[in-house]
Amino acid sequence: MKTPALTFLYVPADRPERVEKALASEADVVLVDLEDAVAPAHKDAARANLVRLLADAAGDRAVQVRINHPSTPWHAADVAALAGLPLPVGARVPKVESPAEILALAAALPGRDLHPLIESALGVERALDIATASPQVASIGLGEADLRSDLGIDDEAGLTWARSRVIVAARAARLAAPAMSAYPNVRDLEGLATSCRAGRALGFRGRTAIHPAQLATIRAAFLPSAEEVVRASEVLARVADATAAGVGAIALTDGTFLDVAMVERARAVLALAGA
């Protein structure tokens, strides 16, 4: 298995020096932002920076560009700029509420991976329809700041159902597990770690970051523990031994009998660990 991406670093496109640092960072994926992190007066400059900085660098880096929503005056120019970039540069699509938005973007950006963000109650209700709108949809995720506002909630507990809904939709659409939305307090690394562990328990894999200082905490929270790696290795070793011996029923040393789901989970754990 290919090692999955765990860290996704947002960087505003109107700060070219930060984009360059992000591209050189340890983030698995760099998210160059034309949307919320860029003031309206800077949109054109940000787009120009995008074209200049990613025309060459994108081939060496996993990169996505968050474009502005179709309801804004910057959307068409964003899409045109992205269309001129190398095909591996993905489109991160904000505030998606319907499959029609994805179909229109897929037509404008043929062959390019699309990464819809669900940021409203209506989007959550249509999560599976959005996830399956086009073969170009490569992932889905939540934009939790806007979703909190739409739902009128202040704490993470209120997001649990929406988070699970998107995780289930991604799985049903045969997409990778979603990455969590960014944790807004860049100094609260303990709170970030706690939130990541809760998200991991729900089924998220990885998280977006708004500052490089968050990357190590995110990675540590989503990587399997040493005990999980040992157990996963034992699972696969037992399967190999049983297959060689022609044995049908397989049990671990603690007496747990193995099934197909446990074997697949063990492979996923070792893939995350890079083992």
Side-chain angles (χ1 to χ4, degrees), residues 73-152:
W74 311 291
H75 175 77
D78 288 354
V79 172
L82 186 52
L85 293 177
L87 200 58
V89 178
R92 200 163 183 86
V93 192
K95 301 175 176 61
V96 178
E97 292 189 327
S98 74
E101 296 173 56
I102 297 302
L103 290 172
L105 199 56
L109 298 170
R112 195 174 299 271
D113 283 350
L114 307 179
H115 303 269
L117 293 175
I118 294 169
E119 307 186 50
S120 68
L122 182 57
V124 171
E125 287 295 323
R126 292 175 172 171
L128 182 57
D129 292 337
I130 292 167
T132 56
S134 165
Q136 289 176 233
V137 174
S139 76
I140 59 172
L142 282 175
E144 291 184 357
D146 283 1
L147 183 59
R148 284 174 189 263
S149 177
D150 193 33
L151 296 177

Side-chain angles (χ1 to χ4, degrees), residues 251-265:
L252 299 178
T253 53
D254 66 3
T256 303
F257 275 84
L258 301 182
D259 57 24
V260 172
M262 291 177 65
V263 173
E264 290 303 313
R265 176 61 182 159

Side-chain angles (χ1 to χ4, degrees), residues 47 94 170 174:
R47 197 180 306 108
R174 299 296 186 265

Side-chain angles (χ1 to χ4, degrees), residues 201-212:
L202 286 176
F204 283 111
R205 187 175 67 202
R207 188 164 202 163
T208 60
I210 54 176
H211 193 283

Side-chain angles (χ1 to χ4, degrees), residues 58-86:
D60 305 321
R61 210 65 177 83
V63 179
Q64 297 171 24
V65 174
R66 184 165 69 170
I67 60 177
N68 287 281
H69 190 265
S71 63
T72 71
W74 311 291
H75 175 77
D78 288 354
V79 172
L82 186 52
L85 293 177

